[in-house]
Amino acid sequence: MILIKNGRVVNPGGKEGKLDILIKDDKIAAVGKNIREKNARVIDAKGKTVAPGLIDMHCHLREPGREDEETIAQTSLAALKGGFTSICCMPNTNPPIDSPGTVKYILEKAKENRGGTVRIFPVGAITKGRKGEELAEISELKDAGVVALSDDGDSVMNALVMRRAFEYAKMFSLPIMSHCQDKQLSRNGVMNEGYNSTVLGITGMPAEAEEVIVYRDISLAAMTGGALHISHSSTRGTVEILKQAKRKKVNVSAEVTPHHLILTDDLVRGFDTSTKVNPPLRTRDDISALRKGLRDGTIDAIATDHAPHSQEEKDDDYRSAPFGMVGLETCLALILTEIVGEGVITLKSAVAKMTVNPARILGLKKGVIAPDQDADVVIFDTGAEWTIAPADFAGPCKNSPFIGRTVRGRVVTTIVGGRVLYSL
Amino acid sequence: MNSKKIVFKRKDLLGIEELSREEIELILDTARGFKEVSIRPIKKVPALRGKTVVNLFYEPSTRTRISFELASKRLSADVINIASSASSVVKGESLTDTARNIQAMEVDAVVVRHPVEGAAFLLSRVLKASLVNAGDGSHEHPTQALLDMFTIREKKKKIEGLNVVIIGDILHSRVARSNIWGLTKMGAVVKVVGPPTLIPPRAQDLKVQVFYRPEEAFIDADVIMGLRIQLERQTSNFFPSIHEYVKDFCITPERLKLAKSDCLVMHPGPINRGIEISSSVADGACSVILEQVTNGIAVRMAVLYLLLAQKQI
Ligand SMILES: [Zn+2]
């Protein structure tokens, strides 16, 4: 038994305030004032914030395929350090998650980790080999345990295939997470198209490459009644289209990453490949629209898009280096510092966007601290200041443009299924 | 030239964007002295004796490489050429590894030409040696812009207030970018003209005027600068055919009549005769294309001299 005492409970889906939490086995047993239980191990959370374990809707495992970049055990530790107790992994592993075998492999691998791992919810591919041509065996994937479908990294460019996917996935209530980017319109692009790409002479990806697919997929979701989730929204236009769609009651949700909320393409001016990410860093104007969308509820969730890449691969020219940043370890601190700290949204709203909202979108019985719920809890110190350093990342890949930045808010304890899997 | 009091403090010449007007003027003034060296019977000064310059070319460009080589030799530096064109590129070795190897050879300057934007920046971070960007992708080609400005200043005695038109594929042109930075810093009125498909987004934010018709852009021009059009651009639908490009954008004698009578016609070469410029214009009275080549050596001597000679050993 674990008794978390004296913490400030931020729990958008349940009871809040200065409360104690009692954990029995792998479940929450009680939430209330002054709980006494002499057999419990007491964690004093005085001065700290206690919240449901965070859920990352969008991250990338490198196992199977690139264990040199990050093993499942390392990704798990990265998540735990960041306060995440559940992560959804995108299907672009090698082999991709387009068949039940890969799903089982990942879940088995996670189980083998003796120290215990974060909960992993695989996202299955929409199409075989993520090629955008033929539907993957979605029923088999569902049975194996996927919680959503996505060809992340690529858009399904064939609108008819996408229509069929929405229709077919409906019978399993699987949401489709769409990486929205028209491949022709963004061809050869490695950064945002705009003033900075013009100065640098680098081929850009226009905001419209994202927006035309956001609009298309919203149309298809409305047409089919399927559930659509927009991955890593990055432009003002995307927010505007989403807002309109939600007003029309289309079944659509959306996420945004910390880097798209904080960084602009001005950073690319030094050709630093740690700023290379897809979708690319955009402009001040996009950031202000994304923040407004986060505040008014147009954007439901915050996700990391954690994507480790080796130093060797990132240590290349801007055109050749791979897209992606590590982000699990820094997400919460960045959101607390830059988004909550700047008054964009409240702490409670930020927690909602990383707990109850993702749980709702994915149909998971998670994200709330309440009796009989899984005992997934994070304790963090909103006042603790630290400077992000390479050593803070769990795996060998340190590809973060936030290294050197001072942030406020640090995870001190992460509990998954009643077990303390991480403490600072 | 040693009497110049302003010391050039940079380790590298990566682009014109980072230079101040005073630094550009210093390079151009220094180049004037070196141009005189080039017309002497003995074309050599000892300024860089004992220094080693490496020309590292990842793109075939005989004329730029030869220009840098002559510039180094006329300054008495030792020159090594490394051509890493597709045939001889070291497989698997990254740019930074190549740089570290060159660094280990204790050279003094590296002149790099690379097809990717930012390659020169990447190398400059690794190298202790001075780095001269001889063209990185579509980003910058600073010595070309310097020699263009040198040529304009020599012919027109000033740059400030001149109408300079750059015509062609602005989108993919490092020459255009470097010239836009340099000429606007020097006070010229810069006009770019080309099909909208080849004008980069938000070009007007570079403080240039954007035109789609040469007939409008050329009016009262003091300088017209052509750019080499890559013939394969038509396959990416930047324009439907060479025929149509020539029809609308070739620098012809008729179009040239719209400019001032003493207008200079420039081109960084190599030229596609009859495509971006008609032969009669390229070889005509207004053309200073070959003088640009001559001036290129003097300007590159000035750059190497300023980067290397004033450094304490
Ligand atoms: Zn994606």
Side-chain angles (χ1 to χ4, degrees):
Chain A
M1 274 187 287
I2 296 174
L3 179 58
I4 304 168
K5 286 199 75 76
N6 307 319
R8 169 195 178 202
V9 176
V10 176
N11 184 21
K15 279 205 269 185
E16 295 194 305
K18 197 149 190 207
L19 300 168
D20 297 345
I21 296 163
L22 182 67
I23 295 169
K24 234 180 227 167
D25 302 323
D26 59 345
K27 300 283 182 201
I28 305 284
V31 183
K33 285 202 189 302
N34 302 316
I35 298 176
R36 273 164 223 270
E37 173 56 66
K38 55 178 180 297
N39 295 324
R41 164 185 170 193
V42 174
I43 297 175
D44 186 8
K46 191 166 196 292
K48 312 276 195 308
T49 302
V50 183
L54 307 180
I55 302 168
D56 185 14
M57 298 187 72
H58 192 130
C59 78
H60 295 272
L61 295 182
R62 293 294 182 232
E63 186 175 359
R66 287 301 304 269
E67 292 78 357
D68 61 311
E69 291 187 323
E70 205 164 90
T71 61
I72 287 175
Q74 286 166 331
T75 308
S76 170
L77 179 57
L80 296 168
K81 288 182 91 162
F84 292 95
T85 55
S86 298
I87 58 174
C88 296
C89 59
M90 289 294 143
N92 63 337
T93 45
N94 187 16
I97 311 177
D98 64 349
S99 69
T102 319
V103 179
K104 283 176 196 147
Y105 177 87
I106 289 169
L107 296 178
E108 282 302 315
K109 265 286 183 193
K111 237 184 264 170
E112 277 172 27
N113 191 25
R114 283 170 166 269
T117 47
V118 67
R119 297 178 196 271
I120 298 176
F121 295 99
V123 173
I126 299 170
T127 63
K128 292 193 178 91
R130 297 172 50 253
K131 288 200 174 78
E133 290 158 6
E134 296 168 60
L135 291 185
E137 291 186 323
I138 293 171
S139 179
E140 294 280 8
L141 286 167
K142 167 76 182 177
D143 288 350
V146 307
V147 296
L149 301 170
S150 177
D151 271 3
D152 187 53
D154 291 298
S155 274
V156 174
M157 284 309 297
N158 184 326
L160 180 58
V161 173
M162 199 62 170
R163 173 194 176 166
R164 298 282 187 250
F166 274 117
E167 288 173 335
Y168 198 78
K170 230 174 25 166
M171 74 176 141
F172 311 106
S173 302
L174 285 173
I176 291 186
M177 297 174 144
S178 181
H179 172 123
C180 299
Q181 191 167 55
D182 184 285
K183 281 189 197 174
Q184 277 79 42
L185 208 44
S186 60
R187 192 167 63 163
N188 296 334
V190 292
M191 68 175 291
N192 180 50
E193 180 176 308
Y195 177 72
N196 285 318
S197 67
T198 286
V199 167
L200 296 175
I202 291 180
T203 307
M205 296 188 255
E208 289 76 6
E210 174 169 314
E211 293 153 9
V212 295
I213 301 295
V214 172
Y215 198 87
R216 182 202 72 175
D217 285 355
I218 284 172
S219 298
L220 294 173
M223 171 197 194
T224 59
L228 168 66
H229 177 76
I230 303 294
S231 295
H232 38 53
S233 315
S234 77
T235 77
R236 170 176 288 279
T238 292
V239 178
E240 285 167 1
I241 301 164
L242 276 166
K243 194 162 188 175
Q244 188 192 31
K246 287 191 161 187
R247 216 180 294 133
K248 290 187 190 162
K249 306 284 181 223
V250 180
N251 189 358
V252 59
S253 56
E255 79 197 18
V256 64
T257 68
H259 49 271
H260 289 118
L261 286 168
I262 297 168
L263 305 177
T264 69
D265 66 350
D266 289 345
L267 279 189
V268 183
R269 292 292 278 272
F271 297 100
D272 176 357
T273 57
S274 77
T275 64
K276 186 177 171 183
V277 67
N278 189 9
L281 300 179
R282 304 282 188 185
T283 66
R284 278 264 143 245
D285 181 58
D286 295 301
I287 284 183
S288 72
L290 290 166
R291 290 179 173 201
K292 196 159 170 282
L294 200 63
R295 187 164 55 230
D296 68 17
T298 305
I299 296 175
D300 308 84
I302 296 166
T304 68
D305 200 4
H306 178 82
H309 288 292
S310 71
Q311 187 60 41
E312 291 75 21
E313 284 180 12
K314 276 286 190 182
D315 194 8
D316 204 335
D317 64 67
Y318 209 85
R319 223 188 276 172
S320 316
F323 291 103
M325 303 172 174
V326 282
L328 281 165
E329 297 93 334
T330 52
C331 176
L332 178 64
L334 289 166
I335 294 299
L336 290 175
T337 310
E338 304 283 345
I339 303 302
V340 177
E342 306 248 308
V344 177
I345 54 173
T346 61
L347 174 61
K348 179 175 177 171
S349 171
V351 169
K353 288 175 196 294
M354 291 186 273
T355 56
V356 279
N357 293 3
R360 185 196 73 230
I361 294 161
L362 296 163
L364 302 176
K365 189 175 173 276
K366 293 212 154 287
V368 182
I369 300 175
D372 289 327
Q373 288 279 331
D374 288 334
D376 296 354
V377 178
V378 58
I379 305 172
F380 54 93
D381 181 349
T382 53
E385 239 183 39
W386 56 293
T387 300
I388 299 169
D392 293 312
F393 297 94
C397 300
K398 318 292 181 191
N399 50 309
S400 165
F402 291 109
I403 286 173
R405 186 180 282 248
T406 299
V407 287
R408 219 171 33 256
R410 187 146 219 189
V411 172
V412 290
T413 307
T414 309
I415 300 169
V416 181
R419 292 170 70 192
V420 176
L421 292 191
Y422 172 78
S423 48
L424 185 67
Chain B
M1 66 212 74
N2 290 322
S3 63
K4 267 282 162 197
K5 283 289 169 286
I6 322 161
V7 179
F8 196 73
K9 291 198 188 70
R10 294 178 183 276
K11 169 180 157 297
D12 309 307
L13 177 66
L14 299 176
I16 303 292
E17 184 192 0
E18 63 192 19
L19 298 184
S20 67
R21 180 171 176 156
E22 290 67 35
E23 287 174 301
I24 294 170
E25 280 171 349
L26 173 63
I27 297 169
L28 301 186
D29 291 346
T30 309
R32 191 154 37 179
F34 283 123
K35 184 165 182 185
E36 180 263 325
V37 172
S38 297
I39 49 175
R40 284 186 204 164
I42 310 267
K43 298 178 175 50
K44 212 159 184 165
V45 290
L48 296 187
R49 188 183 293 151
K51 304 273 186 188
T52 309
V53 177
V54 171
N55 289 325
L56 179 60
F57 276 58
Y58 287 86
E59 268 184 351
S61 170
T62 316
R63 42 176 79 208
T64 305
R65 195 202 25 86
I66 289 175
S67 181
F68 270 106
E69 188 170 346
L70 281 172
S72 302
K73 286 184 169 162
R74 285 179 185 173
L75 291 166
S76 304
D78 297 314
V79 186
I80 299 163
N81 290 309
I82 305 175
S84 289
S85 57
S87 56
S88 63
V89 75
V90 186
K91 279 266 178 288
E93 185 175 70
S94 75
L95 198 54
T96 43
D97 277 332
T98 306
R100 285 186 195 104
N101 272 284
I102 291 169
Q103 181 61 51
M105 296 170 198
E106 301 289 348
V107 304
D108 300 286
V110 177
V111 175
V112 68
R113 159 69 62 93
H114 198 281
V116 178
E117 300 78 25
F121 285 70
L122 192 65
L123 286 173
S124 75
R125 272 185 228 127
V126 180
L127 285 169
K128 284 205 287 287
S130 284
L131 194 122
V132 180
N133 182 2
D136 62 328
S138 302
H139 178 226
E140 281 232 41
H141 190 357
T143 57
Q144 178 68 44
L146 288 165
L147 76 87
D148 291 341
M149 288 187 278
F150 181 90
T151 307
I152 294 170
R153 206 173 70 159
E154 190 176 59
K155 292 285 170 188
K156 296 284 184 189
K157 310 296 172 214
K158 61 166 188 176
I159 296 175
E160 178 105 44
L162 295 181
N163 286 321
V164 182
V165 178
I166 307 175
I167 178 168
D169 181 357
I170 311 297
L171 179 64
H172 300 96
S173 175
R174 53 192 171 213
V175 175
R177 279 180 181 76
S178 287
N179 265 304
I180 288 169
W181 287 118
L183 290 164
T184 53
K185 282 174 203 230
M186 296 300 285
V189 176
V190 180
K191 303 175 181 184
V192 298
V193 56
T197 45
L198 292 175
I199 302 286
R202 295 184 53 184
Q204 59 287 354
D205 291 351
L206 299 170
K207 301 193 192 102
V208 300
Q209 298 173 27
V210 176
F211 294 85
Y212 303 136
R213 316 296 303 179
E215 289 75 11
E216 292 166 18
F218 282 12
I219 293 169
D220 282 338
D222 294 292
V223 178
I224 293 171
M225 217 179 257
L227 298 172
R228 182 176 170 80
I229 191 91
Q230 309 267 212
L231 301 180
E232 64 270 19
R233 297 289 178 215
Q234 62 176 321
T235 58
S236 310
N237 285 314
F238 286 106
F239 48 86
S241 66
I242 294 291
H243 164 80
E244 195 154 300
Y245 185 85
V246 172
K247 168 182 167 284
D248 287 338
F249 294 100
C250 182
I251 308 171
T252 58
E254 297 71 47
R255 289 193 172 117
L256 191 55
K257 283 197 193 106
L258 299 163
K260 288 186 184 157
S261 56
D262 59 349
C263 180
L264 304 179
V265 173
M266 305 176 75
H267 193 291
I271 59 175
N272 293 304
R273 284 176 181 267
I275 295 177
E276 68 252 5
I277 187 166
S278 55
S279 275
S280 59
V281 173
D283 304 332
C286 292
S287 170
V288 291
I289 295 171
L290 292 175
E291 285 171 74
Q292 287 174 269
V293 177
T294 308
N295 293 338
I297 300 169
V299 164
R300 286 167 180 133
M301 286 171 82
V303 167
L304 289 166
Y305 172 79
L306 289 169
L307 289 174
L308 295 183
Q310 301 193 350
K311 267 191 201 162
Q312 294 308 309
I313 306 155

